[in-house]
């Protein structure tokens, strides 16, 4: 170390907020300050005499400036920038480590004789600090460094402030605590360290890091304090923003029931956010991957291990759901987790989401839907049964009725009831409680009508060409009533009992959603000059009314042999209900 100004130099050296090590020509540490000891996490005694490669990742000679990774023994060590300053002709070097930000380019250092003889000035220029010499007896303070750049005061103005002026420049909210810290450090002979807001010449405040070491006389009386003051306003602002960001993250994790985590696949250690620890029931201690992997229920272990392996080895997406037994209270929790792998750092990082409430709500919804399906099926079943009871009563009345005309009316009514009842039977049997296959329904209905007319053994051929597609109940019932009237008309007039013939039905749905139903028979057909609009029976009037009013469709009657009709309507007249 330089001989001149030994006490002043040593005091500043110890008080500097930058980490400084002094190395001999063999790159062994022969001295270091408090900031370096704090950064490395070891005492000065333990570090003095250590080779540089035991402290950092250096191998070989050290350059004038560059980057190094310190061996602090802490997780996530950062690469820091440094500069070196030759401090004597014997080969000793001062290694200044920039712990706050990258200082490269701040100062162009001339390693000439002037700077070799004034290493303190170089440190001040490199770090942007102010150095002070506080005379405790007189209260005068001598400042050195880029005073105007930091404070806005001229050198003369700043050096005239003294201890009382310095105190006045401290923010009122920080003043009493800062002064108390200064006095305590002098009384207890400890290093003075304080961070507070300091007023510039223009009245604005900025945060500073103030550190000093007291020099005492032979009787232990304080004489002077040598120290440094550094502008840390940007760092404080970044720290405040980080605190706010972390607070927002904690609130978001609490509200959303989420958390984030990291697996270090080298150290086998786990980082878990506050939200992740809350979900898993983990304490504040450091956890290993093996310990955390005991939390999921055993039946999910194989699946989770395979998902992690596939993510790391094959880059497959990690998106899993599983259950855990929370360590704090033993509660069973449903978890959804997604993760990605960083091969450069060999770290798996991901998020977890407590989906217990969602799963419970999902199960409740499924249970409610199952109950609804059961009730709806029961409703369809009872409706069909009740309609069959009504039909049976009407059939009994028809048998007991003395008049043929009344009997026919009752039978026609029964057929209409059966057409509606068949829809409910189809819905009861269907997996879809809102739709039935319209073609299947029509073919079954035609056969049911033939059976109702006791025409099963007649030579009536059925020619069906029907596309398969679903239809809601509100379309199926009107279509069923139309088919009932058409088939009944054919069996009564077109192909009466004892005759043979063919009933043809075509059903299709176009790409634009139009349903086309074509019906024909090769029976007797209407008489010459028949007007479907004026001369139609009640059955034909019913067909036209259902088509135009219930289905909002179009109906066209054809000519030629037998009976022909074509009906078109949209399939979106009614919406799906279930």
């Amino acid at each position: 170390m330089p001989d001149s100004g030994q006490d002043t130099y040593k005091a500043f050296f110890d008080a500097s907020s930058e980490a400084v090590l002094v190395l001999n020509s063999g790159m062994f540490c022969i001295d270091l300050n408090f900031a370096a000891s704090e950064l490395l996490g070891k005492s000065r005694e333990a570090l003095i005499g250590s080779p540089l490669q035991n402290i950092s990742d250096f191998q070989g000679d050290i350059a004038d400036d560059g980057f190094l990774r310190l061996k602090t023994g802490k997780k996530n060590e950062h690469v820091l920038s440094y500069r070196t300053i030759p401090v004597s002709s014997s080969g000793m070097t001062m290694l200044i480590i920039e712990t706050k930000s990258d200082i490269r380019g701040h100062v162009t250092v001339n390693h000439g004789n002037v700077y070799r003889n004034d290493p303190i000035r170089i440190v001040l220029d490199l770090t942007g600090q102010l150095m002070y010499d506080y005379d405790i007896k007189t209260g005068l303070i001598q400042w050195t460094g880029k005073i105007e750049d930091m404070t806005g005061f001229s050198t003369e103005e700043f050096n005239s402030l003294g201890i009382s002026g310095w105190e006045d420049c401290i923010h009122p909210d920080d003043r009493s605590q800062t002064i108390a810290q200064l006095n305590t450090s002098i009384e207890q002979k400890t290093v003075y360290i304080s961070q507070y807001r300091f007023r510039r010449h223009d009245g604005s405040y900025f945060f500073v890091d103030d550190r000093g070491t007291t020099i005492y006389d032979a009787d232990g009386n304080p004489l002077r304090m040598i120290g440094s003051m550094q502008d840390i306003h940007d760092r404080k602002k970044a720290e405040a923003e980080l605190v706010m960001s972390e607070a927002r993250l904690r609130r978001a994790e609490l509200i959303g029931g989420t958390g984030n985590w990291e697996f270090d696949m080298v150290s086998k250690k786990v980082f878990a956010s506050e939200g992740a620890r809350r979900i898993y029931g983990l304490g504040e201690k450091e956890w290993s991957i093996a310990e955390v992997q005991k939390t999921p229920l055993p039946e999910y272990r194989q699946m989770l291990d395979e998902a992690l392996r596939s993510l790391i080895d094959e880059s497959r997406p990690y998106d899993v759901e599983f259950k855990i037994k929370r360590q704090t209270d033993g509660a069973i929790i449903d978890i959804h987790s997604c993760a990605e792998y960083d091969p450069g750092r060999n770290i798996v990082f991901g998020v977890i989401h407590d989906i217990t409430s969602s799963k419970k709500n999902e199960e409740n919804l499924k249970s409610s839907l199952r109950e609804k399906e059961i009730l709806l099926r029961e409703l369809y079943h009872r409706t069909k049964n009740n309609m069959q009871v009504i039909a049976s009563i009407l059939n009994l009345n028809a048998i007991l009725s003395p008049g043929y005309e009344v009997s026919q009316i009752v039978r026609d009514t029964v057929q209409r009831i059966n057409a509606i009842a068949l829809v409910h039977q189809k819905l009861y049997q269907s997996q879809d409680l809102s739709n039935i296959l319209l073609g299947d329904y029509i073919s079954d209905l035609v056969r049911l009508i033939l059976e109702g007319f006791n025409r099963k053994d007649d030579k009536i051929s059925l020619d069906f060409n029907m596309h398969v597609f679903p239809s809601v109940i509100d379309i199926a019932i009107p279509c069923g009533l139309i088919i009932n009237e058409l088939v009944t008309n054919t069996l009564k007039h077109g192909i009466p009992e004892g005759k043979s013939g063919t009933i043809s039905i075509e059903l299709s749905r176009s790409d634009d959603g139009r349903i086309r139903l074509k019906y024909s028979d090769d029976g007797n057909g209407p008489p010459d000059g028949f007007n479907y609009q004026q001369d139609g029976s009640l059955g034909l009037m019913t067909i036209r009314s259902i088509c135009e009013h219930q289905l909002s469709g179009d109906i066209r009657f054809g000519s030629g042999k037998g009976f022909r009709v074509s009906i078109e309507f949209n399939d979106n007249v009614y919406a799906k209900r279930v």
Side-chain angles (χ1 to χ4, degrees):
M1 302 288 289
D3 296 330
S4 61
Q6 177 74 20
D7 289 344
T8 300
Y9 182 84
K10 181 62 176 174
F12 172 72
F13 180 76
D14 286 338
S16 175
S17 60
E18 298 302 328
V20 184
L21 294 90
V22 180
L23 308 173
N24 64 15
S25 58
M27 293 293 106
F28 282 79
C29 177
I30 59 175
D31 201 2
L32 68 156
N33 66 354
F34 176 78
S37 174
E38 189 178 52
L39 177 64
L40 291 165
K42 296 180 181 179
S43 67
R44 170 179 276 173
E45 291 74 15
L47 290 168
I48 289 178
S50 299
L52 184 58
Q53 56 264 34
N54 287 1
I55 300 173
S56 72
D57 59 355
F58 270 121
Q59 299 293 331
D61 296 333
I62 188 169
D64 290 344
D65 62 4
F67 296 90
L68 78 167
R69 186 190 301 272
L70 294 180
K71 298 179 180 179
T72 63
K74 299 178 182 178
K75 183 182 178 183
N76 298 330
E77 297 172 346
H78 296 290
V79 176
L80 305 173
S81 60
Y82 73 88
R83 281 191 182 276
T84 61
I85 305 171
V87 294
S88 76
S89 59
S90 63
M92 285 193 297
T93 302
M94 183 180 292
L95 177 66
I96 303 174
I97 302 170
E98 175 56 68
T99 60
K100 305 300 188 299
S101 60
D102 188 349
I103 63 172
R104 293 181 304 161
H106 286 192
V107 179
T108 301
V109 179
N110 181 346
H111 293 304
N113 292 330
V114 174
Y115 286 94
R116 288 176 184 270
N117 295 328
D118 192 4
I120 294 179
R121 182 68 186 180
I122 296 175
V123 172
L124 294 177
D125 287 345
L126 285 172
T127 62
Q129 299 178 76
L130 301 183
M131 175 182 171
Y132 60 83
D133 185 344
Y134 165 39
D135 189 323
I136 297 175
K137 289 185 178 181
T138 65
L140 297 178
I141 306 177
Q142 292 296 314
W143 295 87
T144 305
K146 296 183 177 180
I147 296 171
E148 191 167 353
D149 289 349
M150 183 184 294
T151 68
F153 289 95
S154 67
T155 301
E156 294 75 15
E157 288 175 319
F158 208 57
N159 278 320
S160 66
L161 291 179
I163 190 65
S164 60
W166 169 77
E167 292 175 354
D168 288 341
C169 286
I170 299 173
H171 193 283
D173 294 343
D174 303 336
R175 187 174 298 149
S176 60
Q177 180 179 353
T178 302
I179 295 172
Q181 289 172 334
L182 175 66
N183 294 333
T184 300
S185 70
I186 294 173
E187 293 170 3
Q188 298 182 359
K189 298 182 178 182
T190 59
V191 175
Y192 163 63
I193 301 176
S194 182
Q195 293 181 355
Y196 52 89
R197 286 165 288 180
F198 194 79
R199 188 179 72 246
R200 291 188 179 93
H201 188 269
D202 61 7
S204 63
Y205 285 90
F206 66 105
F207 273 100
V208 298
D209 182 280
D210 190 351
R211 300 181 181 222
T213 299
T214 306
I215 299 174
Y216 302 86
D217 63 17
D219 296 327
N221 299 312
L223 299 176
R224 301 157 63 197
M225 175 176 283
I226 308 300
S228 68
M229 187 168 76
Q230 185 175 26
D231 182 351
I232 59 168
H233 191 75
D234 290 342
R235 190 183 81 187
K236 279 290 187 180
K237 183 178 178 181
E239 288 174 354
E241 291 174 352
L242 179 60
V243 169
M244 182 62 69
S245 177
E246 289 176 344
R248 292 193 188 102
L249 176 61
R250 285 194 297 271
R251 286 197 298 268
E253 288 187 340
L254 179 61
I255 294 172
T258 60
N260 65 88
W261 53 272
E262 288 185 6
F263 280 5
D264 188 325
M265 305 309 294
V266 176
S267 68
K268 304 300 181 183
K269 298 297 183 182
V270 175
F271 162 79
S273 70
E274 183 177 322
R277 292 197 306 271
R278 180 173 52 250
I279 293 172
Y280 260 60
L282 302 176
E284 293 287 342
K285 75 163 195 170
E286 191 175 62
W287 293 83
S288 68
I289 294 177
E291 289 174 320
V292 172
Q293 287 181 335
K294 294 178 181 178
T295 308
L297 299 185
E299 56 264 34
Y300 295 97
R301 184 72 271 144
Q302 183 177 353
M303 180 270 291
L304 292 172
D305 290 344
E306 176 60 23
L308 184 61
R309 186 203 63 77
S310 298
L311 171 66
I312 296 174
D313 296 344
E314 304 171 18
S315 299
R316 291 187 181 181
Y318 184 94
D319 190 339
V320 293
E321 288 188 8
F322 55 96
K323 292 180 182 289
I324 67 169
K325 185 176 183 181
R326 192 159 53 198
Q327 297 193 21
T328 50
D329 57 8
I332 303 300
I333 307 297
D334 286 283
I335 300 294
H336 176 217
S337 183
C338 297
E340 292 185 2
Y341 175 59
D342 182 351
R345 299 167 58 205
N346 202 6
I347 286 177
V348 178
F349 58 95
V351 295
I352 57 173
H353 184 200
D354 182 350
I355 57 172
T356 307
S357 296
S358 300
K359 282 289 187 180
K360 185 176 181 180
N361 292 336
E362 183 181 333
E363 287 300 320
N364 290 338
L365 181 60
K366 287 181 179 179
S367 177
S368 176
L369 287 174
R370 285 193 294 269
E371 292 177 2
K372 182 179 179 181
E373 289 179 3
I374 292 171
L375 292 173
L376 199 52
R377 289 184 189 280
E378 183 64 20
L379 176 63
Y380 288 148
H381 186 60
R382 289 175 180 268
T383 300
K384 182 209 54 161
N385 289 345
N386 290 337
M387 297 185 84
Q388 286 180 338
V389 170
I390 295 172
S392 298
I393 295 173
L394 290 174
N395 277 326
L396 181 60
N397 288 332
I399 294 173
L400 299 176
S401 175
Y404 175 77
E405 184 176 350
V406 174
S407 177
Q408 288 300 310
I409 293 173
V410 171
R411 185 169 64 177
D412 291 346
T413 303
V414 169
Q415 289 301 130
R416 296 183 181 109
I417 293 173
N418 286 337
I420 299 173
L422 183 60
V423 172
H424 289 280
Q425 179 180 335
K426 287 285 185 182
L427 287 169
Y428 173 72
Q429 296 170 344
S430 173
Q431 295 297 321
D432 187 341
L433 297 179
S434 184
N435 292 297
I436 62 171
L437 297 177
L438 188 57
D440 289 351
Y441 165 64
I442 289 175
S443 62
D444 288 350
L445 178 60
V446 171
R447 292 183 176 88
L448 181 64
I449 297 171
L450 291 176
E451 182 179 345
F453 274 83
N454 294 318
R455 301 288 295 274
K456 292 188 299 180
D457 298 332
D458 282 1
K459 296 179 180 180
I460 295 180
S461 300
L462 299 177
D463 181 14
F464 294 151
N465 182 14
M466 293 186 285
H467 294 180
V468 178
F469 58 88
S471 176
V472 295
I473 181 175
D474 298 290
I475 286 179
I477 288 178
C479 285
L481 292 174
I482 289 174
I483 290 295
N484 177 76
E485 297 301 327
L486 292 173
V487 175
T488 299
N489 179 72
T490 294
L491 296 179
K492 284 183 178 180
H493 307 293
I495 310 175
E497 190 172 357
K499 300 291 184 178
S500 62
T502 302
I503 295 175
S504 300
I505 300 178
E506 296 181 16
L507 179 68
S508 63
R509 183 172 61 182
S510 64
D511 293 337
D512 60 358
R514 294 283 288 181
I515 294 178
R516 294 181 176 87
L517 176 63
K518 294 183 179 180
Y519 178 91
S520 63
D521 66 47
D522 58 358
N524 296 327
D528 294 337
F530 184 82
N531 188 323
Y532 287 101
Q533 299 293 331
Q534 298 178 2
D535 302 335
S537 63
L538 176 62
L540 293 179
M541 292 173 59
T542 301
I543 294 170
R544 194 164 51 247
S545 176
I546 292 173
C547 176
E548 294 175 351
H549 297 109
Q550 290 193 41
L551 298 176
S552 299
D554 301 318
I555 183 169
R556 293 187 299 274
F557 293 96
S559 59
K561 183 181 178 181
F563 176 81
R564 301 174 185 277
V565 64
S566 176
I567 297 171
E568 287 191 22
F569 54 91
N570 288 324
D571 66 351
N572 61 354
V573 178
Y574 299 98
K576 183 176 179 179
R577 296 183 177 183
V578 180

